[in-house]
Amino acid sequence: MTLVLLFLIGLGVISLAVATYTFVMDRRRQALVDRALSVTDDEGSRRSALLGAAKKRERRASMLKQVPTGLEHSKFAQKLLFAGYDGETAPAIFAIVRLMTLIVLPTAVALALIRAPMALLMVLVPGTALISWFLPIAVVERLGRARQERIRHGLPDALDLLVVCVEAGISLDAAILRVARELAFSYPDLSRELLVVNRKTNAGVTREEAIRGLWSRTGVEDLRSLSSSLIQTEKWGTSITKVLRVAAMTLRRKRRQHAEKRVALAPVKMTFPLVTMILPALFIIILGPAVLEVVSSLAAAAR
């Protein structure tokens, strides 16, 4: 039984390592493509860089595309998209990681408690398997929420830069590209989404569809209202600088209100650790000597 468990653990670790390597290479390829788009100005070099990266990615992902994930049209694919994993192999990698987690963790628990009673194993191993099945989903959801928060935090600064660029006489498409380059280090997630918008517009997609895709890929409600305002501005020919300035002020006010709300909730969140951890320690330190003195006095009186 021990050899079988060790074999399963080794198989799971190897499969997890392969999936992790493929995922890291896919993310590295995406970063190289973004860098080529933002740095390369020559159209021929840009196309050759894109074609070369696409061929390498196609060869590397040929096997992963055959993995039956069932995630292509489900809510899990949308969660992966919100978390920033928009590659073609992302559902397959997620399915492999989820399966390996389901295999490795219960096997490790069973191996660690191999001498434990059978009743304990019958409880812990299925419980670990249940946790392992839902753990990757919870991690992806948390990564998605963190990414949405980072994008939401950087929107006011991005809009301020867009206002400056548009007022300087730059077109909206060129301003989006310039702002994406400027935000590459401070807000990389937002910068990447703006680069995607610029690539789509250069590829012939209408600006309306490209801007709407900005919200559908991130799930940030602030981007939804902003995209609607920009589309209406382009349709009716109103001043885009006023729309961007008002949106920046609105988002900055919402960010300040959100911070004030979190500060107001801090005392409520501190109540549980205060009651369960701090107050018992204070009672022990303050009342402990008195209790010991009373106990010793009662014991001496009883003798």
Side-chain angles (χ1 to χ4, degrees), residues 20 32 49 56 85 121 124 152 159 164 176 180 182 211 280 285 290 302:
T20 305
L32 290 176
K56 292 181 180 179
Y85 306 121
L121 288 175
L124 290 181
R152 189 180 298 110
L159 292 180
V164 174
I176 290 176
E182 293 294 332
I211 293 175
I285 294 173

Side-chain angles (χ1 to χ4, degrees), residues 169-298:
I170 304 177
S171 64
L172 182 60
D173 296 333
I176 290 176
L177 180 59
R178 181 62 182 271
V179 171
R181 291 176 178 176
E182 293 294 332
L183 298 178
F185 294 100
S186 56
Y187 302 107
D189 299 300
L190 183 57
S191 173
R192 184 185 174 206
E193 293 299 329
L194 293 177
L195 286 175
V196 171
V197 173
N198 182 260
R199 289 202 300 267
K200 286 188 175 183
T201 54
N202 290 338
V205 180
T206 62
R207 187 182 298 172
E208 180 178 352
E209 295 179 0
I211 293 175
R212 288 190 186 278
L214 185 63
W215 169 76
S216 62
R217 289 190 309 271
T218 59
V220 179
E221 290 297 330
D222 294 335
L223 282 176
R224 184 177 185 178
S225 59
L226 177 62
S227 61
S228 300
S229 300
L230 290 178
I231 291 171
Q232 292 178 1
T233 299
E234 184 179 4
K235 183 178 296 185
W236 299 106
T238 57
S239 176
I240 192 172
T241 56
K242 294 182 179 179
V243 173
L244 292 175
R245 187 177 290 108
V246 171
M249 295 174 58
T250 303
L251 292 178
R252 186 168 283 107
R253 183 171 62 251
K254 289 178 64 175
R255 187 174 64 180
R256 184 174 61 252
Q257 291 174 353
H258 181 67
E260 293 175 352
K261 180 181 177 180
R262 296 183 66 178
V263 170
L265 290 176
V268 179
K269 294 181 178 180
M270 291 175 60
T271 303
F272 180 76
L274 179 66
V275 173
T276 57
M277 300 178 183
I278 299 177
L279 290 181
L282 288 176
F283 288 150
I284 292 173
I285 294 173
I286 297 173
L287 300 179
V291 171
L292 293 177
E293 185 68 24
V294 171
V295 171
S296 61
S297 299
L298 293 176

